[in-house]
Amino acid sequence: QVQLVESGGGLVQAGGSLRLSCAASGRTFSSYSMGWFRQAPGKEREFVAVIKWTDSITYYTDSVKGRFTISRDNAKRTVYLQMNSLKPEDTAVYYCAARIPFSGSYGNAGTYNYWGQGTQVTVSS
C-alpha cells in the first residue's frame, strides 16, 4: 500500500513558478514509477509527467516540456514537480500517482494504482 499527499499548490501570476511535492508512505516507494496528472474544470484528467522507477527516466506531455521538471528523492519518499513559466492554461487540480513498473502506457491514468487527493494550482493572467 502507498498513500500519497500532495502539497505546494496555490495562486501565482503568469510567468511565475511553483513546486509541488508528493509525500509517500509505504516501504516500497522506490519500487513505483511516479506520475503527475492534472484536471481542469470540465476537462478529463490529463497526464503531465512521469519518472520511472527503474532508471529515473522522465517523460512529459508536450505542453509542459521545457517548463516543468519532475524529480524524486527516494530517501525522502517524495516526488516533486517544479513548474516554471506558468501559464493560465496550467490552472488545474494536480494529482500525484504511483504505479508498478511495466503496467502499460505512462500516460494512461488507469494504469496507476495509487492517487493523492490533489492540490489546486491557479495561474492568473
Side-chain angles (χ1 to χ4, degrees):
Q1 287 284 346
V2 176
Q3 293 184 331
L4 306 172
V5 179
E6 302 98 332
S7 62
L11 174 63
V12 64
Q13 289 188 335
S17 298
L18 283 174
R19 188 176 81 155
L20 305 183
S21 298
C22 173
S25 65
R27 297 181 180 179
T28 58
F29 169 76
S30 60
S31 299
Y32 290 87
S33 295
M34 301 298 298
W36 286 96
F37 286 75
R38 65 186 179 186
Q39 188 167 18
K43 294 188 177 182
E44 294 187 352
R45 193 165 296 190
E46 174 191 27
F47 168 76
V48 176
V50 65
I51 183 164
K52 293 172 61 180
W53 160 74
T54 51
D55 48 18
S56 291
I57 287 178
T58 58
Y59 297 100
Y60 300 90
T61 191
D62 286 346
S63 62
V64 308
K65 285 180 181 178
R67 301 189 298 122
F68 290 12
T69 302
I70 187 171
S71 61
R72 66 190 296 164
D73 185 334
N74 288 338
K76 295 183 178 180
R77 300 177 185 175
T78 301
V79 63
Y80 305 97
L81 186 68
Q82 178 67 44
M83 305 186 295
N84 299 327
S85 302
L86 282 161
K87 305 175 181 180
E89 51 264 43
D90 294 318
T91 295
V93 177
Y94 282 71
Y95 296 91
C96 173
R99 52 173 266 168
I100 60 176
F102 314 114
S103 297
S105 171
Y106 286 104
N108 183 350
T111 66
Y112 289 77
N113 307 95
Y114 304 101
W115 291 85
Q117 83 288 350
T119 185
Q120 177 71 47
V121 171
T122 303
V123 184
S124 63
S125 57

